[in-house]
Amino acid sequence: VADFKAEIEWRKQNERALPDKEVLLGEMISRELALQKAKSLGLEKDRDVQRTYEEILASKLKERELATRLAAVKISAEEAPADYQKNLKRYTQPAKARLALIQIATNRKMSPEKTSELEARAQQVLGLARALPENVKNFDRVAVDFSDDQSSRYKGGDVGWYDEGAPLSRWPTEVMNVAFALKTGEISDVIKTDQGVFIARKLDTRDAVVIPFAQVQASIEHRLLAQKRQETEAAFARELQTFASVQTNEQAFAEIDYPTTTVATAPEFKPPALPRTQ
C-alpha cells in the first residue's frame, strides 16, 4: 500500500499520467519484475549503469543545492545603469572619416637617387591635386594617373570610411594620423613612410555616437545575470572542494598511458559471423 501511494505521489509531482488503478498496479509489477531480473543478472554492477546512476545523483545534488541559488540570482535596478556608465566607451561608436589617398610606392631596396626621384614626383602630384576644381571632392584623375594603389586609384583615391583611433593594418599609422587631423576637403602635404610617399584628403566625417542606454539595457542585464550565475556556480564548486580532502598520487597519474587524441572513439562494431553450415 505504501509503495502504491508513493507511486501515485511521484507521478503527480512529476506530472506523469495516472492510468486506471489496475493498470498502474500492473505497470508497477512489471517494473519490479524487470528490476529483480536485472539484479539477478548483476546488471546493477555494470559500469554503464553505475555511471548513469552517479550522473543522476550529481544532477540531483545540483537540482537541490544549486538550482535554488541560481533562481535567486537577480540584477538590481542600479547595476545595469552603473555598468553602462563604467563601460561607456564600449557603447560609443567612434568618430569616422572618409579618406582618399594617393600612394607612390617605394621600398628599402631602392637607391637614394630613385627614392628622391619619387619624392620629387610626389611634390608635383601634390600640386596637381591642389589645382583640382573645387567641385571635385576626391583626387579624381590625379589618382588614376599617379597612384600605385590599384584598389582605389580608379575611385579617385577613395579608400572608404575609417574609425578614428582604431588600429589599422593596411595604411601606415603616420598617414592615418595626418589624414584624421585634416579638415573636410583639405589635402595634406607629402607624407613619407616605409611603404612609400602619400598624399591624403579628408572627404567626409561622422561624429562619435553614444548608443542610448535603453537600446543596450537588455543585453547588459543579460550579461550581468550570466556573470552572477557563473560566480554562483563557481562558489558551489568551491564548497564541494571542502566537503572532503582530495589528494592526487602524482606519480601514478603521470604513469597512466593517455590517448593523444582529444576525441574518444568507441570500438568499431562488428556484427557476429554467420554460423557455418555442415
PDB file of all heavy atoms in Angstrom, residues 163-189:
ATOM      1  N   ASP A 163      37.519  54.266 -38.644  1.00  0.00           N
ATOM      2  CA  ASP A 163      37.273  54.736 -37.288  1.00  0.00           C
ATOM      3  C   ASP A 163      38.492  55.495 -36.782  1.00  0.00           C
ATOM      4  O   ASP A 163      39.625  55.040 -36.922  1.00  0.00           O
ATOM      5  CB  ASP A 163      36.999  53.570 -36.342  1.00  0.00           C
ATOM      6  CG  ASP A 163      35.679  52.882 -36.637  1.00  0.00           C
ATOM      7  OD1 ASP A 163      34.841  53.487 -37.336  1.00  0.00           O
ATOM      8  OD2 ASP A 163      35.487  51.742 -36.184  1.00  0.00           O
ATOM      9  N   GLU A 164      38.235  56.616 -36.161  1.00  0.00           N
ATOM     10  CA  GLU A 164      39.328  57.403 -35.609  1.00  0.00           C
ATOM     11  C   GLU A 164      39.936  56.672 -34.407  1.00  0.00           C
ATOM     12  O   GLU A 164      39.225  56.219 -33.515  1.00  0.00           O
ATOM     13  CB  GLU A 164      38.823  58.771 -35.160  1.00  0.00           C
ATOM     14  CG  GLU A 164      39.924  59.704 -34.701  1.00  0.00           C
ATOM     15  CD  GLU A 164      39.440  61.118 -34.446  1.00  0.00           C
ATOM     16  OE1 GLU A 164      38.211  61.340 -34.534  1.00  0.00           O
ATOM     17  OE2 GLU A 164      40.285  61.973 -34.163  1.00  0.00           O
ATOM     18  N   GLY A 165      41.247  56.549 -34.406  1.00  0.00           N
ATOM     19  CA  GLY A 165      41.938  55.913 -33.292  1.00  0.00           C
ATOM     20  C   GLY A 165      41.980  54.402 -33.349  1.00  0.00           C
ATOM     21  O   GLY A 165      42.626  53.778 -32.506  1.00  0.00           O
ATOM     22  N   ALA A 166      41.290  53.790 -34.320  1.00  0.00           N
ATOM     23  CA  ALA A 166      41.294  52.326 -34.412  1.00  0.00           C
ATOM     24  C   ALA A 166      42.607  51.849 -35.038  1.00  0.00           C
ATOM     25  O   ALA A 166      43.144  52.501 -35.937  1.00  0.00           O
ATOM     26  CB  ALA A 166      40.115  51.842 -35.249  1.00  0.00           C
ATOM     27  N   PRO A 167      43.152  50.736 -34.569  1.00  0.00           N
ATOM     28  CA  PRO A 167      44.390  50.226 -35.167  1.00  0.00           C
ATOM     29  C   PRO A 167      44.147  49.778 -36.604  1.00  0.00           C
ATOM     30  O   PRO A 167      43.195  49.070 -36.886  1.00  0.00           O
ATOM     31  CB  PRO A 167      44.751  49.037 -34.269  1.00  0.00           C
ATOM     32  CG  PRO A 167      43.458  48.621 -33.633  1.00  0.00           C
ATOM     33  CD  PRO A 167      42.652  49.874 -33.478  1.00  0.00           C
ATOM     34  N   LEU A 168      44.988  50.196 -37.495  1.00  0.00           N
ATOM     35  CA  LEU A 168      44.822  49.866 -38.911  1.00  0.00           C
ATOM     36  C   LEU A 168      46.056  49.115 -39.381  1.00  0.00           C
ATOM     37  O   LEU A 168      47.174  49.397 -38.955  1.00  0.00           O
ATOM     38  CB  LEU A 168      44.632  51.142 -39.735  1.00  0.00           C
ATOM     39  CG  LEU A 168      43.457  52.036 -39.290  1.00  0.00           C
ATOM     40  CD1 LEU A 168      43.518  53.365 -39.985  1.00  0.00           C
ATOM     41  CD2 LEU A 168      42.150  51.343 -39.602  1.00  0.00           C
ATOM     42  N   SER A 169      45.870  48.176 -40.262  1.00  0.00           N
ATOM     43  CA  SER A 169      46.986  47.372 -40.733  1.00  0.00           C
ATOM     44  C   SER A 169      47.374  47.702 -42.172  1.00  0.00           C
ATOM     45  O   SER A 169      48.519  47.516 -42.562  1.00  0.00           O
ATOM     46  CB  SER A 169      46.638  45.886 -40.633  1.00  0.00           C
ATOM     47  OG  SER A 169      45.465  45.600 -41.369  1.00  0.00           O
ATOM     48  N   ARG A 170      46.437  48.216 -42.943  1.00  0.00           N
ATOM     49  CA  ARG A 170      46.724  48.419 -44.353  1.00  0.00           C
ATOM     50  C   ARG A 170      47.573  49.662 -44.603  1.00  0.00           C
ATOM     51  O   ARG A 170      48.516  49.639 -45.389  1.00  0.00           O
ATOM     52  CB  ARG A 170      45.415  48.518 -45.140  1.00  0.00           C
ATOM     53  CG  ARG A 170      45.670  48.624 -46.644  1.00  0.00           C
ATOM     54  CD  ARG A 170      44.406  48.730 -47.446  1.00  0.00           C
ATOM     55  NE  ARG A 170      44.715  48.880 -48.856  1.00  0.00           N
ATOM     56  CZ  ARG A 170      43.866  49.287 -49.776  1.00  0.00           C
ATOM     57  NH1 ARG A 170      42.614  49.568 -49.417  1.00  0.00           N
ATOM     58  NH2 ARG A 170      44.223  49.396 -51.032  1.00  0.00           N
ATOM     59  N   TRP A 171      47.215  50.758 -43.940  1.00  0.00           N
ATOM     60  CA  TRP A 171      47.899  52.018 -44.184  1.00  0.00           C
ATOM     61  C   TRP A 171      48.818  52.366 -43.020  1.00  0.00           C
ATOM     62  O   TRP A 171      48.512  52.070 -41.874  1.00  0.00           O
ATOM     63  CB  TRP A 171      46.892  53.156 -44.402  1.00  0.00           C
ATOM     64  CG  TRP A 171      45.894  52.870 -45.476  1.00  0.00           C
ATOM     65  CD1 TRP A 171      44.565  52.683 -45.310  1.00  0.00           C
ATOM     66  CD2 TRP A 171      46.152  52.731 -46.868  1.00  0.00           C
ATOM     67  NE1 TRP A 171      43.961  52.425 -46.506  1.00  0.00           N
ATOM     68  CE2 TRP A 171      44.907  52.453 -47.491  1.00  0.00           C
ATOM     69  CE3 TRP A 171      47.289  52.806 -47.660  1.00  0.00           C
ATOM     70  CZ2 TRP A 171      44.790  52.258 -48.858  1.00  0.00           C
ATOM     71  CZ3 TRP A 171      47.175  52.616 -49.020  1.00  0.00           C
ATOM     72  CH2 TRP A 171      45.934  52.345 -49.616  1.00  0.00           C
ATOM     73  N   PRO A 172      49.937  53.009 -43.283  1.00  0.00           N
ATOM     74  CA  PRO A 172      50.853  53.399 -42.206  1.00  0.00           C
ATOM     75  C   PRO A 172      50.153  54.311 -41.195  1.00  0.00           C
ATOM     76  O   PRO A 172      49.324  55.149 -41.559  1.00  0.00           O
ATOM     77  CB  PRO A 172      51.977  54.141 -42.941  1.00  0.00           C
ATOM     78  CG  PRO A 172      51.918  53.634 -44.346  1.00  0.00           C
ATOM     79  CD  PRO A 172      50.471  53.363 -44.622  1.00  0.00           C
ATOM     80  N   THR A 173      50.521  54.149 -39.932  1.00  0.00           N
ATOM     81  CA  THR A 173      49.897  54.930 -38.863  1.00  0.00           C
ATOM     82  C   THR A 173      50.088  56.417 -39.076  1.00  0.00           C
ATOM     83  O   THR A 173      49.165  57.218 -38.855  1.00  0.00           O
ATOM     84  CB  THR A 173      50.489  54.516 -37.500  1.00  0.00           C
ATOM     85  OG1 THR A 173      50.268  53.124 -37.301  1.00  0.00           O
ATOM     86  CG2 THR A 173      49.836  55.291 -36.374  1.00  0.00           C
ATOM     87  N   GLU A 174      51.292  56.823 -39.522  1.00  0.00           N
ATOM     88  CA  GLU A 174      51.540  58.254 -39.701  1.00  0.00           C
ATOM     89  C   GLU A 174      50.646  58.863 -40.768  1.00  0.00           C
ATOM     90  O   GLU A 174      50.241  60.029 -40.666  1.00  0.00           O
ATOM     91  CB  GLU A 174      53.015  58.510 -40.021  1.00  0.00           C
ATOM     92  CG  GLU A 174      53.545  57.709 -41.215  1.00  0.00           C
ATOM     93  CD  GLU A 174      54.248  56.432 -40.812  1.00  0.00           C
ATOM     94  OE1 GLU A 174      53.671  55.704 -39.973  1.00  0.00           O
ATOM     95  OE2 GLU A 174      55.352  56.156 -41.311  1.00  0.00           O
ATOM     96  N   VAL A 175      50.285  58.069 -41.775  1.00  0.00           N
ATOM     97  CA  VAL A 175      49.385  58.571 -42.814  1.00  0.00           C
ATOM     98  C   VAL A 175      47.988  58.807 -42.236  1.00  0.00           C
ATOM     99  O   VAL A 175      47.365  59.844 -42.485  1.00  0.00           O
ATOM    100  CB  VAL A 175      49.312  57.571 -43.994  1.00  0.00           C
ATOM    101  CG1 VAL A 175      48.228  57.995 -44.993  1.00  0.00           C
ATOM    102  CG2 VAL A 175      50.659  57.484 -44.685  1.00  0.00           C
ATOM    103  N   MET A 176      47.508  57.840 -41.442  1.00  0.00           N
ATOM    104  CA  MET A 176      46.172  57.971 -40.880  1.00  0.00           C
ATOM    105  C   MET A 176      46.097  59.104 -39.866  1.00  0.00           C
ATOM    106  O   MET A 176      45.090  59.817 -39.783  1.00  0.00           O
ATOM    107  CB  MET A 176      45.745  56.643 -40.248  1.00  0.00           C
ATOM    108  CG  MET A 176      45.810  55.455 -41.189  1.00  0.00           C
ATOM    109  SD  MET A 176      44.978  55.731 -42.770  1.00  0.00           S
ATOM    110  CE  MET A 176      43.271  55.770 -42.243  1.00  0.00           C
ATOM    111  N   ASN A 177      47.155  59.272 -39.088  1.00  0.00           N
ATOM    112  CA  ASN A 177      47.164  60.372 -38.121  1.00  0.00           C
ATOM    113  C   ASN A 177      47.058  61.718 -38.819  1.00  0.00           C
ATOM    114  O   ASN A 177      46.313  62.603 -38.383  1.00  0.00           O
ATOM    115  CB  ASN A 177      48.438  60.314 -37.277  1.00  0.00           C
ATOM    116  CG  ASN A 177      48.436  59.145 -36.313  1.00  0.00           C
ATOM    117  OD1 ASN A 177      47.384  58.583 -36.006  1.00  0.00           O
ATOM    118  ND2 ASN A 177      49.606  58.764 -35.836  1.00  0.00           N
ATOM    119  N   VAL A 178      47.808  61.896 -39.885  1.00  0.00           N
ATOM    120  CA  VAL A 178      47.750  63.148 -40.647  1.00  0.00           C
ATOM    121  C   VAL A 178      46.377  63.320 -41.280  1.00  0.00           C
ATOM    122  O   VAL A 178      45.782  64.409 -41.236  1.00  0.00           O
ATOM    123  CB  VAL A 178      48.853  63.180 -41.727  1.00  0.00           C
ATOM    124  CG1 VAL A 178      48.643  64.363 -42.670  1.00  0.00           C
ATOM    125  CG2 VAL A 178      50.229  63.251 -41.082  1.00  0.00           C
ATOM    126  N   ALA A 179      45.845  62.236 -41.855  1.00  0.00           N
ATOM    127  CA  ALA A 179      44.565  62.308 -42.552  1.00  0.00           C
ATOM    128  C   ALA A 179      43.433  62.689 -41.605  1.00  0.00           C
ATOM    129  O   ALA A 179      42.577  63.522 -41.939  1.00  0.00           O
ATOM    130  CB  ALA A 179      44.255  60.975 -43.225  1.00  0.00           C
ATOM    131  N   PHE A 180      43.411  62.094 -40.402  1.00  0.00           N
ATOM    132  CA  PHE A 180      42.343  62.417 -39.457  1.00  0.00           C
ATOM    133  C   PHE A 180      42.441  63.839 -38.938  1.00  0.00           C
ATOM    134  O   PHE A 180      41.443  64.421 -38.531  1.00  0.00           O
ATOM    135  CB  PHE A 180      42.370  61.421 -38.286  1.00  0.00           C
ATOM    136  CG  PHE A 180      41.544  60.198 -38.515  1.00  0.00           C
ATOM    137  CD1 PHE A 180      42.148  58.992 -38.824  1.00  0.00           C
ATOM    138  CD2 PHE A 180      40.162  60.256 -38.446  1.00  0.00           C
ATOM    139  CE1 PHE A 180      41.382  57.853 -39.056  1.00  0.00           C
ATOM    140  CE2 PHE A 180      39.390  59.120 -38.670  1.00  0.00           C
ATOM    141  CZ  PHE A 180      40.006  57.914 -38.978  1.00  0.00           C
ATOM    142  N   ALA A 181      43.637  64.409 -38.937  1.00  0.00           N
ATOM    143  CA  ALA A 181      43.825  65.774 -38.435  1.00  0.00           C
ATOM    144  C   ALA A 181      43.401  66.833 -39.447  1.00  0.00           C
ATOM    145  O   ALA A 181      43.272  68.023 -39.101  1.00  0.00           O
ATOM    146  CB  ALA A 181      45.286  65.985 -38.050  1.00  0.00           C
ATOM    147  N   LEU A 182      43.156  66.432 -40.685  1.00  0.00           N
ATOM    148  CA  LEU A 182      42.749  67.387 -41.716  1.00  0.00           C
ATOM    149  C   LEU A 182      41.320  67.863 -41.504  1.00  0.00           C
ATOM    150  O   LEU A 182      40.517  67.203 -40.852  1.00  0.00           O
ATOM    151  CB  LEU A 182      42.851  66.736 -43.099  1.00  0.00           C
ATOM    152  CG  LEU A 182      44.240  66.280 -43.565  1.00  0.00           C
ATOM    153  CD1 LEU A 182      44.112  65.473 -44.854  1.00  0.00           C
ATOM    154  CD2 LEU A 182      45.169  67.481 -43.759  1.00  0.00           C
ATOM    155  N   LYS A 183      40.993  68.996 -42.078  1.00  0.00           N
ATOM    156  CA  LYS A 183      39.614  69.448 -42.148  1.00  0.00           C
ATOM    157  C   LYS A 183      38.953  68.803 -43.361  1.00  0.00           C
ATOM    158  O   LYS A 183      39.642  68.375 -44.295  1.00  0.00           O
ATOM    159  CB  LYS A 183      39.556  70.968 -42.254  1.00  0.00           C
ATOM    160  CG  LYS A 183      40.130  71.696 -41.042  1.00  0.00           C
ATOM    161  CD  LYS A 183      40.084  73.204 -41.253  1.00  0.00           C
ATOM    162  CE  LYS A 183      40.674  73.945 -40.048  1.00  0.00           C
ATOM    163  NZ  LYS A 183      40.669  75.408 -40.250  1.00  0.00           N
ATOM    164  N   THR A 184      37.655  68.736 -43.375  1.00  0.00           N
ATOM    165  CA  THR A 184      36.947  68.124 -44.503  1.00  0.00           C
ATOM    166  C   THR A 184      37.277  68.874 -45.785  1.00  0.00           C
ATOM    167  O   THR A 184      37.148  70.104 -45.858  1.00  0.00           O
ATOM    168  CB  THR A 184      35.433  68.132 -44.263  1.00  0.00           C
ATOM    169  OG1 THR A 184      35.149  67.422 -43.055  1.00  0.00           O
ATOM    170  CG2 THR A 184      34.700  67.471 -45.425  1.00  0.00           C
ATOM    171  N   GLY A 185      37.739  68.138 -46.801  1.00  0.00           N
ATOM    172  CA  GLY A 185      38.118  68.717 -48.077  1.00  0.00           C
ATOM    173  C   GLY A 185      39.575  69.106 -48.164  1.00  0.00           C
ATOM    174  O   GLY A 185      40.092  69.352 -49.249  1.00  0.00           O
ATOM    175  N   GLU A 186      40.270  69.159 -47.031  1.00  0.00           N
ATOM    176  CA  GLU A 186      41.666  69.592 -47.012  1.00  0.00           C
ATOM    177  C   GLU A 186      42.591  68.493 -47.534  1.00  0.00           C
ATOM    178  O   GLU A 186      42.329  67.307 -47.349  1.00  0.00           O
ATOM    179  CB  GLU A 186      42.060  69.978 -45.586  1.00  0.00           C
ATOM    180  CG  GLU A 186      43.437  70.608 -45.476  1.00  0.00           C
ATOM    181  CD  GLU A 186      43.777  71.018 -44.046  1.00  0.00           C
ATOM    182  OE1 GLU A 186      42.963  70.742 -43.145  1.00  0.00           O
ATOM    183  OE2 GLU A 186      44.853  71.611 -43.850  1.00  0.00           O
ATOM    184  N   ILE A 187      43.681  68.915 -48.183  1.00  0.00           N
ATOM    185  CA  ILE A 187      44.687  67.990 -48.721  1.00  0.00           C
ATOM    186  C   ILE A 187      45.974  68.158 -47.927  1.00  0.00           C
ATOM    187  O   ILE A 187      46.411  69.274 -47.649  1.00  0.00           O
ATOM    188  CB  ILE A 187      44.944  68.265 -50.215  1.00  0.00           C
ATOM    189  CG1 ILE A 187      43.660  68.035 -51.028  1.00  0.00           C
ATOM    190  CG2 ILE A 187      46.068  67.376 -50.754  1.00  0.00           C
ATOM    191  CD1 ILE A 187      43.787  68.401 -52.498  1.00  0.00           C
ATOM    192  N   SER A 188      46.577  67.042 -47.576  1.00  0.00           N
ATOM    193  CA  SER A 188      47.795  67.059 -46.762  1.00  0.00           C
ATOM    194  C   SER A 188      49.014  67.412 -47.602  1.00  0.00           C
ATOM    195  O   SER A 188      48.966  67.456 -48.839  1.00  0.00           O
ATOM    196  CB  SER A 188      48.002  65.693 -46.120  1.00  0.00           C
ATOM    197  OG  SER A 188      48.418  64.747 -47.098  1.00  0.00           O
ATOM    198  N   ASP A 189      50.129  67.628 -46.904  1.00  0.00           N
ATOM    199  CA  ASP A 189      51.424  67.686 -47.584  1.00  0.00           C
ATOM    200  C   ASP A 189      51.851  66.257 -47.922  1.00  0.00           C
ATOM    201  O   ASP A 189      51.167  65.289 -47.577  1.00  0.00           O
ATOM    202  CB  ASP A 189      52.464  68.347 -46.682  1.00  0.00           C
ATOM    203  CG  ASP A 189      52.155  69.823 -46.426  1.00  0.00           C
ATOM    204  OD1 ASP A 189      51.582  70.464 -47.324  1.00  0.00           O
ATOM    205  OD2 ASP A 189      52.471  70.305 -45.317  1.00  0.00           O
TER     206      ASP A 189
END
